[in-house]
């Protein structure tokens, strides 16, 4: 856990420097204000999902190749590459990531892919784990992406998904946190995402943050046998 905390501190310092230099729309999209929020609960809530994913990879000793789908600011990709996983990091556009890369030197082993993953023709069975953390709620038509994840996963591969509940407590919390945390650009929620995955994959609940008032939920999905 020492490595995680060291990387967290490094990224938070970089995010603060970036926010001092400017605060455009793409910075909010990558959640930099959330990852540097002064409220300790908000700080814990956003970093906890990264920590859960990081620990999840480290518990699966046979894992080698990882896809970080919707990598955003690149935090998870960086941490996993530091642990010598083979990491592919993709996002629809890299403007926020490029700002972070101007402050932090990323491992050269990371394969960065900018643009829609559906257009990149990656090889079948390429990844042992796919992480999709707080990204699928931005996608209206999920089924083509679920099909792509199914194709890209190795036979025993796992995808870990995190997303907001969008319940009344979540919406109140976003408004209290500030105008940059309203989440108006979300087109779905974790319940709908989970039901969509159920049509094509086996799903397993992982954890909820925070029970009994659930703001975020994480679950895993695997190929049907």
């Amino acid at each position: 856990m020492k490595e995680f905390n060291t990387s967290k501190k490094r990224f938070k310092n970089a995010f603060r420097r970036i926010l001092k230099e400017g605060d455009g729309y793409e910075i909010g999209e990558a959640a930099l204000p959330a990852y540097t929020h002064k409220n300790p609960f908000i700080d814990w809530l956003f970093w906890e999902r990264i920590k859960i994913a990081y620990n999840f990879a480290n518990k699966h000793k046979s894992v080698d190749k990882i896809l970080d789908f919707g990598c955003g600011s690149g935090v998870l990709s960086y941490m996993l590459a530091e642990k010598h996983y083979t990491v592919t990091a993709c996002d629809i556009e890299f403007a926020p990531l490029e700002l972070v890369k101007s402050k932090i030197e990323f491992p050269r082993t990371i394969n960065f892919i900018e643009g829609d993953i559906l257009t990149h023709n990656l090889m079948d069975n390429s990844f042992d784990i796919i992480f999709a953390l707080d990204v699928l709620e931005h996608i209206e038509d999920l089924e083509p992406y679920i099909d792509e994840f199914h194709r890209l996963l190795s036979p025993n591969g796992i995808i870990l998904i995190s997303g907001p509940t969008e319940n009344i407590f979540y919406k109140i919390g976003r408004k209290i946190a500030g105008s940059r945390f309203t989440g108006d650009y979300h087109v779905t929620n974790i319940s709908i995402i989970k039901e969509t995955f159920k049509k094509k994959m086996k799903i397993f609940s992982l954890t909820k943050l925070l029970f009994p008032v659930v703001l975020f939920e994480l679950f895993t999905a695997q190929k049907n046998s």
Side-chain angles (χ1 to χ4, degrees), residues 19-31:
L19 288 167
K20 284 183 180 179
E21 295 169 4
D23 189 2
Y25 176 77
E26 68 279 359
I27 290 176
E29 284 289 281

Side-chain angles (χ1 to χ4, degrees), residues 26-65:
E26 68 279 359
I27 290 176
E29 284 289 281
L32 267 61
Y35 287 110
T36 56
H37 205 282
K38 294 181 181 179
N39 183 296
F41 171 72
I42 296 173
D43 176 271
W44 173 84
L45 185 62
F46 276 81
W47 284 98
E48 183 69 9
R49 279 120 65 205
I50 299 289
K51 185 167 73 173
I52 289 170
Y54 177 81
N55 289 338
F56 185 86
N58 290 330
K59 287 177 182 177
H60 290 74
K61 302 302 182 182
S62 61
V63 166
D64 177 26
K65 296 180 180 179

